[in-house]
Amino acid sequence: MLIASCAKTLPAKPEVIDTSCDWVKIIYLTDHDIEVMDRQTKKDILAHNKAWIANCQKPMASH
């Protein structure tokens, strides 16, 4: 027996929750790290840190 319904089932709206700032952090380097790393690695770390600042840094509370 087949039962049909008049109710419409609308597709559920996807909810996107960005949790990357919960686990991605700034990369800190020592002077020794900077001395031994190649130029491209330094550029990559700088790009990562700038992206984190732009997307994850909480604004300072104004007094």
Side-chain angles (χ1 to χ4, degrees):
M1 180 179 214
L2 183 61
I3 299 174
S5 173
C6 298
K8 291 184 177 180
T9 305
L10 300 175
K13 268 189 163 178
E15 184 175 335
V16 177
I17 300 172
D18 183 2
T19 60
S20 62
C21 291
D22 294 341
W23 58 271
V24 174
K25 302 293 180 210
I26 282 189
I27 299 171
Y28 294 96
L29 302 173
T30 65
D31 288 341
H32 177 70
D33 294 333
I34 295 168
E35 288 174 17
V36 297
M37 282 183 187
D38 67 9
R39 187 174 181 86
Q40 186 59 51
T41 303
K42 292 176 192 177
K43 285 181 176 182
D44 293 342
I45 292 172
L46 181 60
H48 164 88
N49 288 349
K50 284 183 173 184
W52 186 88
I53 290 168
N55 295 298
C56 298
Q57 188 175 34
K58 306 277 189 287
M60 298 284 285
S62 51
H63 299 321

